[in-house]
Amino acid sequence: MITTAQLQSLTRPQLKRVFEALGNDLLIVRPTTTVNADGFDSPGVEVSAIVRGLLLPISTDRRVKLAATGGQLAIPAFEALLPHDAPVTEPGFVIRLAGVNYYPTADAIDEGSQGVLLVVPLAAPGNRG
């Protein structure tokens, strides 16, 4: 039986090569909020990270899985396949490609719970879902 550590050591380098060869530089944008002296919030500077990953139309299998759990996706819908360490495990981020925002419709999923790949379901480009 293969251990999680062995699976990670085998698949992470392979996945990195796939992302490098076929992926896009995806900008993970997380807006910040600051509190003014008068007590009101104001938008702050965007905090960003560039992650090499894949942005694809959502698969039929994923759509069926999300529907089974009560999730609904607009058509078209997308998903981002990202490395295990992409900064998308906390809510409040947007994925941007070529100036277009893709908003998450659910939390990032650690596919297979093995710490190898994160999958983020996304609404249609520019649609907040």
Side-chain angles (χ1 to χ4, degrees), residues 44-56:
V45 182
E46 292 180 342
V47 178
S48 305
I50 297 174
V51 175
R52 189 78 178 174
L54 295 171
L55 184 65
L56 306 166

Side-chain angles (χ1 to χ4, degrees), residues 22-107:
L22 303 174
N24 300 96
D25 287 332
L26 303 172
L27 190 62
I28 309 297
V29 179
R30 187 176 304 281
T32 62
T33 302
T34 57
V35 178
N36 296 330
D38 58 6
F40 291 101
D41 290 347
S42 68
V45 182
E46 292 180 342
V47 178
S48 305
I50 297 174
V51 175
R52 189 78 178 174
L54 295 171
L55 184 65
L56 306 166
I58 198 161
S59 68
T60 302
D61 290 346
R62 174 91 49 214
R63 188 178 290 279
V64 169
K65 285 180 186 176
L66 286 171
T69 61
Q72 294 182 353
L73 291 170
I75 297 173
F78 291 80
E79 61 188 353
L81 307 180
L82 304 170
H84 71 285
D85 56 354
V88 295
T89 55
E90 294 179 17
F93 66 91
V94 173
I95 296 177
R96 188 177 294 160
L97 177 63
V100 177
N101 288 338
Y102 292 81
Y103 296 90
T105 58
D107 291 340

